[in-house]
Amino acid sequence: MTRRGHGPGGGGGRGGPPGAMPFTKPKNLRGTLMRIYSYLAGSKWLLVLVVVCLLVSSGTSIASSYFLRPLINNYIIPGDFQGLAGAIGLLALIYLLGILASYLQTRTTVRLAQRTVNSIRKDMFDKLQNLPLRYFDTHSHGELMSRFTNDADNIQTMLEQSLTQFISSFLLFVGCVACMVVLSPILFVITVLVIALMFFLVGKMGKRSRSYFKKQQELLGQLNGSIEENLGGLKEIKAFNHEKKARAEFEEINESFRVAAKNANFFAGIMMPIMGNLNNMSYAFTAVFGGILTILGRFDVGSLASYLQFSRQVGQPINQITGQMNNIYSAAAGAERIFALMDEIPEVDEGTVTLVEEGQNGDKNWNWKKASGEMVPLMGDVRFENVHFAYDPEKPILKDISLYAKPGQMIAFVGSTGAGKTTITNLINRFYDVQQGKITYDGIDVREIEKDSLRKSLGMVLQDTHLFTDTVMGNIRYGNLNATDEQCKEAARKANAHSFITKLPQGYDTILEGDGGNLSQGQRQLIAIARAYISQPPVLILDEATSSIDTRTEQLVQRGMAELMKGRTVFVIAHRLSTVRNANAIVVLEEGRIIERGTHDELLEQGGRYYQLYNGLAELT
């Protein structure tokens, strides 16, 4: 499937190191965090445990620093060694309690984060299954994959580390400030001045780094899209000797990303040394001034030692808060992209007519069941009545298309690229709905049929077959998950695939990987035909599967398709005119209109476009 456009928003990589300002503020930070919290709401007791552990670990850190005051004043200076030993034992217990709280908090947080991201990824994947094909036509693989990887990983990092570190640092900062005010309001004034200078510098440098981080994230999305596109088209790149061109294009994006990342991380990285030196300056000034106050008798030694410890500590949570805010913003921005995907309007299905199957695999009766209970036999009569359709309203693809396929007929579509052949088959499947006119299936408007039922009645064999990472048997059974092994083997025999399958290393149990990369194109098509056969669809759509395989394999594929087409209404997109000579009707399309319709012989007699194509006087472009 062609992916149109590579959106820039697929990035979501981690931000800079601690001390960096946020690269960009999410549009709705509070709403996004509350939505993430909704995934945590089912584990409230674990959340309560995390909060309690954070309070205990922060409280023990503050208590241990404040404990220096009585330790020095009451035991060290008086020389009470027995009391000192007991006080040190109590201090050790405080540290041990903090260690246990941190350990329990970390284990619980990791568990919560893993569970949350697992649920988010599951919801994203479920959402993708319900989105219309149009969404995938306008979003690249790289962009969508980035939401499952980078953006989801950022949420996990935020929950495991950033958010808890932010809360812990905030509690530690508040506790340190409160204790410093209690110990010495005069010394606290010096600390406040240094803290104000810290925030001023963080704000100034954060403005510079913010734009670079935003650019870094945008370029990361483009880089992901470029890598995905080049890996997907690696054979074409090599076939056309475009390695230099691909390398040059990649290097251009990669270099732009390097420059943006360098600038962003430079400002993020320089923040820590600046903040650290300012903290050291604050500590030095506080020590000198506090020493003077102690000498003058206005301050005791224990309080000075405790205050200096808090002075050393108070800068650390500021650094951590500013650094973790960057990661929180990064994760929230990624979460917004994830939730934007989840908020996409799902594929609308207002159909009320359902498909009812009776009988076994080889002898099925199919009926349409209307809401009134009326049963209509499924015959495979498909008709287009004055159909108009456009992917883009300004660029119509189909213009006043009217055609019919009676039960059991084979209808072939011939025309240049962009004439609308594939679009017609997409409309039959209701991958898209018509804007004007209607398509009927056994006299029922397809828009009245449930999409699942409609698509269950249709089988497809595409020119580009996709095989899943599974056994050969599993890939065939994909057409009917209830089929037995023997039914799958019978389908393979009908498709002329049994012979080559039995020669594979493990036969039907051979694992296919890399989209069946260890099989030839013809072998892959034969498996696709067996897959379609096992579903026993009344109507079949073939995007002619023989255009890219050799003549001998083509004969096998043609025999397999002939067996598959027996008794079915068949729509064929023709790439080789020789393969549709026996069609009941050949429809010639040009620029979204039907210009000719008839059998092979009738169209040759007309001497029109088909005659020119068949005799080499014109070419399909």
Side-chain angles (χ1 to χ4, degrees):
M1 193 189 315
T2 303
R3 306 294 174 193
R4 302 172 188 169
H6 292 278
R14 290 173 173 79
M21 280 296 286
F23 64 91
T24 180
K25 189 173 182 178
K27 296 177 182 178
N28 184 5
L29 179 62
R30 183 178 180 277
T32 301
L33 292 178
M34 289 303 296
R35 195 161 176 180
I36 294 174
Y37 170 76
S38 68
Y39 281 89
L40 299 166
S43 306
K44 289 183 179 179
W45 288 111
L46 292 179
L47 282 174
V48 170
L49 179 60
V50 170
V51 172
V52 170
C53 289
L54 284 172
L55 289 170
V56 171
S57 60
S58 299
T60 55
S61 178
I62 295 169
S64 61
S65 296
Y66 193 84
F67 198 76
L68 290 175
R69 182 185 186 186
L71 193 70
I72 294 173
N73 291 341
N74 299 339
Y75 303 109
I76 294 178
I77 293 178
D80 184 359
F81 294 106
Q82 185 176 356
L84 178 62
I88 292 175
L90 179 59
L91 183 61
L93 287 176
I94 292 174
Y95 280 123
L96 180 60
L97 180 61
I99 292 171
L100 291 175
S102 296
Y103 172 78
L104 186 58
Q105 174 259 311
T106 300
R107 282 188 62 90
T108 307
T109 302
V110 168
R111 181 181 176 186
L112 278 171
Q114 295 285 352
R115 181 185 297 178
T116 299
V117 174
N118 179 278
S119 297
I120 288 174
R121 283 199 176 106
K122 179 181 179 297
D123 287 351
M124 270 198 295
F125 189 83
D126 290 344
K127 183 68 178 186
L128 286 179
Q129 308 310 306
N130 297 318
L131 289 178
L133 195 64
R134 188 184 299 274
Y135 181 83
F136 300 97
D137 286 341
T138 55
H139 293 77
S140 72
H141 280 151
E143 181 185 351
L144 294 175
M145 284 298 298
S146 187
R147 303 188 194 200
F148 279 90
T149 53
N150 291 336
D151 291 339
D153 285 346
N154 278 358
I155 294 176
Q156 181 176 321
T157 300
M158 179 189 72
L159 294 176
E160 287 181 356
Q161 303 173 19
S162 303
L163 201 57
T164 53
Q165 185 66 61
F166 176 86
I167 296 172
S168 176
S169 298
F170 177 77
L171 293 174
L172 187 60
F173 176 76
V174 171
C176 286
V177 168
C179 290
M180 292 167 74
V181 171
V182 170
L183 288 170
S184 176
I186 298 175
L187 290 179
F188 182 68
V189 173
I190 299 176
T191 306
V192 167
L193 293 175
V194 176
I195 291 175
L197 180 59
M198 285 182 179
F199 279 115
F200 174 77
L201 290 176
V202 165
K204 295 293 286 186
M205 300 190 72
K207 290 180 181 179
R208 297 291 301 276
S209 65
R210 190 174 295 126
S211 61
Y212 289 122
F213 271 113
K214 181 179 180 181
K215 187 68 174 177
Q216 174 186 334
Q217 297 306 110
E218 292 174 350
L219 289 169
L220 181 59
Q222 294 180 24
L223 193 65
N224 286 339
S226 175
I227 293 171
E228 182 267 332
E229 188 176 68
N230 278 278
L231 289 176
L234 194 60
K235 289 183 179 178
E236 286 78 5
I237 292 172
K238 289 185 175 295
F240 289 97
N241 294 316
H242 282 336
E243 290 92 342
K244 291 183 179 179
K245 180 176 181 295
R247 187 182 299 113
E249 290 175 350
F250 174 78
E251 287 179 354
E252 181 180 354
I253 298 176
N254 196 35
E255 177 63 16
S256 298
F257 176 75
R258 184 194 67 80
V259 172
K262 180 199 70 174
N263 290 329
N265 287 283
F266 168 76
F267 284 105
I270 202 174
M271 199 73 69
M272 279 297 291
I274 292 176
M275 299 286 279
N277 286 319
L278 285 174
N279 203 25
N280 290 334
M281 290 173 59
S282 172
Y283 184 86
F285 283 131
T286 302
V288 171
F289 194 68
I292 294 173
L293 291 177
T294 303
I295 292 172
L296 295 176
R298 300 184 61 182
F299 208 39
D300 58 76
V301 176
S303 296
L304 176 61
S306 182
Y307 189 95
L308 289 175
Q309 182 67 13
F310 283 122
S311 177
R312 176 70 74 183
Q313 282 182 302
V314 76
Q316 181 181 355
I318 296 175
N319 292 344
Q320 291 173 343
I321 287 172
T322 55
Q324 297 308 327
M325 278 302 296
N326 173 53
N327 292 333
I328 291 171
Y329 279 177
S330 175
E336 284 184 345
R337 286 189 288 271
I338 288 174
F339 294 140
L341 167 64
M342 293 185 183
D343 292 338
E344 286 288 335
I345 299 174
E347 192 172 24
V348 178
D349 187 1
E350 298 176 349
T352 57
V353 179
T354 59
L355 184 65
V356 178
E357 302 176 59
E358 297 177 351
Q360 297 300 314
N361 208 41
D363 186 24
K364 282 188 178 180
N365 293 318
W366 307 67
N367 294 284
W368 298 116
K369 183 179 181 181
K370 294 186 176 181
S372 63
E374 179 188 355
M375 303 292 281
V376 178
L378 197 165
M379 306 298 294
D381 187 303
V382 180
R383 297 174 184 268
F384 280 62
E385 300 177 13
N386 307 110
V387 169
H388 293 258
F389 177 77
Y391 298 102
D392 181 344
E394 297 181 359
K395 299 177 181 178
I397 302 297
L398 298 180
K399 308 164 188 174
D400 196 27
I401 296 294
S402 294
L403 59 89
Y404 62 88
K406 295 181 180 179
Q409 282 190 334
M410 175 182 172
I411 308 298
F413 298 110
V414 175
S416 304
T417 301
K421 305 185 296 296
T422 300
T423 299
I424 288 177
T425 60
N426 284 340
L427 295 178
I428 296 173
N429 265 296
R430 282 196 71 196
F431 290 148
Y432 300 90
D433 282 328
V434 300
Q435 278 98 30
Q436 295 181 43
K438 68 177 181 178
I439 302 171
T440 63
Y441 194 163
D442 294 323
I444 305 170
D445 192 321
V446 294
R447 287 170 292 193
E448 298 177 8
I449 302 175
E450 286 186 354
K451 289 184 178 180
D452 286 348
S453 293
L454 174 65
R455 292 166 186 170
K456 193 172 185 179
S457 73
L458 301 168
M460 295 189 72
V461 180
L462 304 177
Q463 181 180 359
D464 296 321
T465 300
H466 180 78
L467 299 179
F468 296 91
T469 301
D470 197 352
T471 62
V472 174
M473 184 75 76
N475 272 280
I476 295 175
R477 188 178 281 116
Y478 199 81
N480 179 5
L481 298 180
N482 296 319
T484 65
D485 287 356
E486 188 53 43
Q487 287 172 337
C488 290
K489 291 179 180 179
E490 179 62 22
R493 292 188 186 97
K494 295 288 187 181
N496 286 313
H498 180 75
S499 178
F500 89 82
I501 292 174
T502 56
K503 296 176 183 177
L504 294 174
Q506 284 82 40
Y508 281 88
D509 294 325
T510 301
I511 299 293
L512 301 181
E513 297 179 351
D515 202 10
N518 53 333
L519 301 179
S520 70
Q521 179 69 18
Q523 290 171 333
R524 295 171 68 227
Q525 294 292 4
L526 292 174
I527 290 178
I529 293 171
R531 176 193 290 170
Y533 188 91
I534 198 69
S535 67
Q536 291 291 307
V539 177
L540 188 63
I541 298 172
L542 303 176
D543 187 350
E544 189 186 321
T546 61
S547 59
S548 58
I549 56 180
D550 61 84
T551 304
R552 179 178 177 279
T553 307
E554 179 184 355
Q555 293 174 355
L556 286 175
V557 174
Q558 287 288 8
R559 288 202 296 269
M561 287 198 297
E563 186 69 30
L564 177 61
M565 290 187 290
K566 284 182 180 179
R568 293 180 170 83
T569 303
V570 181
F571 295 93
V572 178
I573 298 175
H575 300 281
R576 293 181 182 176
L577 300 184
S578 60
T579 62
V580 296
R581 293 182 58 176
N582 297 324
N584 297 100
I586 299 172
V587 177
V588 184
L589 293 162
E590 286 299 331
E591 297 182 357
R593 296 184 184 276
I594 297 176
I595 60 173
E596 296 177 12
R597 177 190 169 107
T599 64
H600 172 75
D601 292 334
E602 290 171 348
L603 293 179
L604 289 181
E605 288 180 8
Q606 292 179 17
R609 175 68 171 167
Y610 182 81
Y611 174 87
Q612 294 175 337
L613 293 170
Y614 188 79
N615 290 285
L617 302 177
E619 293 183 357
L620 288 174
T621 57

